[in-house]
Amino acid sequence: MARVALVTGGTRGIGAAISKALKAAGYKVAASYAGNDTAAEKFNAETGIAVYKWDVSNFDACAEGVKKVEAEVGPIDVLVNNAGITKDGAFHKMSLEQWNAVIGTNLGSLFNMSRQVIEGMRGRKFGRIVNISSINGQKGQFGQVNYSAAKAGEIGFTKALALENAKGGVTVNAICPGYINTEMVQAIPKDVLEKAILPLIPIGRLGEPEEIARAVVFLAADEAGAITGSTLTVNGGQYMV
């Protein structure tokens, strides 16, 4: 029987690539999204992957959403915590709303989502949780104190949860992408991208969403049971740890 994977923020950008790659690898995939109905409907029509709408920063919404996914698709074996937002600004001008929104969606969602599936994974003696962090959670980034804090928190969350579940067949790992060729990065002015960003990347190009997706498929595999608490950097050599 095919394993079931749930990808948050799974209908656009990196999340869409992850959803597609998991389906191609033989998983039954469900993708959640927050608000872009048009993109989600297009994604569903193109891929046949089931889509579900809820706010990952809301614990009760996550509980209801996961319950629906498990009723319609099956018990979740693989959870990919990919959903994330940015609300950038220098810290001395940052509002409480900017802080809370990013921490809630990017970090709080890991608790909200993982809490819904961890008991089932432990009971079945199998589970894979993959958290999509960021290079900026490793090195920090000007104008992103909220985002960098959340993404660094994801790494700590990953390590602690991995320790708690290592003996139960449940692995927890993080992936830290660098600059990836998505809509968000494509929105950066071309001259800024070419003069200020690409020169910092040793391989000389942006990463592709599919390269992150392949890393997720690797960590989600049954054969990856000895890999837990790890942070996999996929940034073209921009930041090495």
Side-chain angles (χ1 to χ4, degrees):
M1 183 180 294
R3 294 201 181 278
V4 175
L6 171 60
V7 183
T8 67
T11 63
R12 299 170 60 199
I14 291 173
I18 293 169
S19 296
K20 292 175 185 176
L22 286 167
K23 181 180 180 182
Y27 294 82
K28 294 171 65 177
V29 181
S32 78
Y33 70 102
N36 194 324
D37 295 322
T38 300
E41 290 166 6
K42 181 181 179 183
F43 175 82
N44 171 255
E46 291 176 349
T47 65
I49 292 172
V51 298
Y52 297 85
K53 183 179 181 180
W54 72 78
D55 177 5
V56 293
S57 71
N58 183 302
F59 182 86
D60 292 336
C62 291
E64 292 179 15
V66 168
K67 185 176 180 179
K68 187 174 183 181
V69 170
E70 295 202 317
E72 297 180 1
V73 185
I76 294 166
D77 301 299
V78 177
L79 171 64
V80 183
N81 286 310
N82 167 74
I85 62 171
T86 56
K87 287 185 178 291
D88 297 348
F91 184 75
H92 65 280
K93 296 181 180 180
M94 184 173 289
S95 69
L96 180 61
E97 186 278 331
Q98 285 175 295
W99 174 267
N100 285 341
V102 170
I103 296 297
T105 297
N106 296 14
L107 181 58
S109 63
L110 269 65
F111 174 83
N112 295 341
M113 290 300 303
S114 302
R115 186 64 184 84
Q116 313 307 327
V117 303
I118 193 68
E119 291 186 60
M121 289 178 174
R122 287 168 64 96
R124 294 187 297 273
K125 302 295 184 184
F126 180 90
R128 299 285 185 264
I129 297 176
V130 183
N131 301 315
I132 307 302
S133 180
S134 169
I135 184 177
N136 292 340
Q138 296 174 300
K139 71 176 187 61
Q141 178 61 34
F142 184 96
Q144 285 194 329
V145 170
N146 50 2
Y147 185 82
S148 295
K151 292 300 182 178
E154 288 190 29
I155 296 172
F157 177 99
T158 295
K159 292 178 179 180
L161 192 61
L163 284 173
E164 290 188 9
N165 292 277
K167 291 184 179 180
V170 180
T171 68
V172 189
N173 293 288
I175 296 173
C176 287
Y179 283 91
I180 305 299
N181 188 23
T182 61
E183 289 179 22
M184 184 166 59
V185 172
Q186 290 167 1
I188 297 172
K190 185 177 180 181
D191 61 327
V192 174
L193 189 64
E194 292 181 348
K195 295 178 181 179
I197 295 176
L198 288 179
L200 300 177
I201 305 174
I203 64 171
R205 65 171 176 84
L206 300 174
E208 294 297 329
E210 292 75 17
E211 292 176 304
I212 306 302
R214 283 193 286 274
V216 172
V217 172
F218 167 68
L219 291 173
D222 284 27
E223 297 83 0
I227 306 171
T228 195
S230 295
T231 302
L232 178 58
T233 60
V234 188
N235 61 34
Q238 183 179 352
Y239 186 74
M240 301 183 187
V241 292

